[in-house]
Amino acid sequence: VFGLSSVAQVVLGRGDFGQHLSINLGFGIGVTLGIHAAGGISGAHLNAAITLTHCILGNLPWRKLPAYLIGQFLGSFTAAATVFGLYYDALYDYTKGNFTVTGPTATASIFSTYPAPYVSLLGGFFTEFMATVMLLLGILVIHDEKNNGALKGTQALLTGILILGIGLGMGMNTGYAINPSRDLPPRVFTAIAGWGMDVFTAGHHWWWVPLTAPMLGSLAGVLIHKLFIDFHNQPVLESGNEKGQPVVETS
């Protein structure tokens, strides 16, 4: 809701009510609050790519995967419906009732990601892949208690800042979906709510890229963290220096 509504305000307000930075802040705030809301209940699985990666690594039973994916889908779909209702009047005023995916009054990008006109399919795929690699690396180092992990209670805030950083540096090409659960459900909603099947054919059938690239990027991020950080960490019990030096210095 925070992320999509910030995009709606920028697009429908014609730049008078926010810019690219406000969109990044909106998504960062939304992720932070989402982690606080669901962290103690489910581990705050807000991203299907991360959930699937945990299943592959054996950190999450496969039997729980459907429930997590359904929860993510319903949450994201409901968020799109909420923002649609919130800005229904503004949408009609902006588009004169003609909801389009492309063109001067296109509004589908409020809800899902689409590549910039200059971006090739391969370039867009690589952008989403690398952005998700950075997402996983960031999350893993924030929670890495064997290394210089974040202070207890700050993980949600730092993850929100991580999302902000990804948006600031990697958002221009594709709108940084980095999450199948963030992209597909709102796309389905827009197909139902008046934008039609163009939401699946636009951008050279772009819709499948935000599903597959984050999955592969998530696995690659875990692999990089394992090879270059985790394998070199000291065990938790040995990370503190026997002579009393701080853990940070010996990590």
Side-chain angles (χ1 to χ4, degrees):
V1 170
F2 278 99
L4 299 186
S5 61
S6 66
V7 181
Q9 187 162 282
V10 170
V11 173
L12 302 178
R14 295 176 170 86
D16 294 332
F17 295 90
Q19 298 291 337
H20 183 64
L21 176 60
S22 60
I23 295 174
N24 298 325
L25 288 170
F27 275 105
I29 292 169
V31 167
T32 297
L33 295 177
I35 293 172
H36 277 297
I41 299 171
S42 66
H45 281 246
L46 311 178
N47 188 326
I50 296 177
T51 301
L52 180 62
T53 298
H54 278 295
C55 289
I56 293 173
L57 295 176
N59 299 330
L60 183 72
W62 283 96
R63 60 183 172 80
K64 291 188 177 182
L65 181 64
Y68 277 74
L69 296 184
I70 291 171
Q72 292 164 9
F73 187 102
L74 290 177
S76 190
F77 186 92
T78 306
T82 300
V83 172
F84 179 78
L86 185 67
Y87 281 108
Y88 182 80
D89 293 333
L91 274 166
Y92 259 84
D93 179 69
Y94 184 83
T95 65
K96 308 306 179 190
N98 183 26
F99 296 165
T100 59
V101 179
T102 58
T105 59
T107 47
S109 61
I110 291 174
F111 300 93
S112 295
T113 64
Y114 294 88
Y118 59 82
V119 176
S120 66
L121 201 60
L122 181 61
F125 190 98
F126 183 67
T127 298
E128 287 294 326
F129 173 83
M130 282 306 307
T132 312
V133 167
M134 299 309 298
L135 173 66
L136 261 291
L137 282 174
I139 290 174
L140 290 172
V141 298
I142 287 170
H143 291 85
D144 191 350
E145 295 181 357
K146 292 187 293 183
N147 196 358
N148 188 16
L151 295 175
K152 185 177 181 180
T154 65
Q155 293 92 342
L157 176 61
L158 289 173
T159 305
I161 294 173
L162 171 63
I163 299 296
L164 171 62
I166 292 173
L168 290 174
M170 305 181 191
M172 186 173 74
N173 286 346
T174 63
Y176 71 110
I178 59 175
N179 180 358
S181 305
R182 169 263 180 275
D183 196 81
L184 180 61
R187 196 179 299 273
V188 173
F189 173 81
T190 51
I192 298 171
W195 282 265
M197 296 306 293
D198 286 349
V199 299
F200 292 103
T201 59
H204 304 288
H205 295 82
W206 167 257
W207 70 272
W208 64 271
V209 176
L211 300 185
T212 56
M215 299 285 189
L216 297 175
S218 179
L219 292 170
V222 171
L223 178 62
I224 293 171
H225 180 264
K226 283 287 184 184
L227 290 177
F228 295 101
I229 298 176
D230 192 46
F231 286 158
H232 307 283
N233 279 337
Q234 297 178 10
V236 174
L237 294 177
E238 300 176 8
S239 60
N241 191 298
E242 293 180 358
K243 296 181 181 181
Q245 292 181 347
V247 173
V248 172
E249 293 184 6
T250 61
S251 295

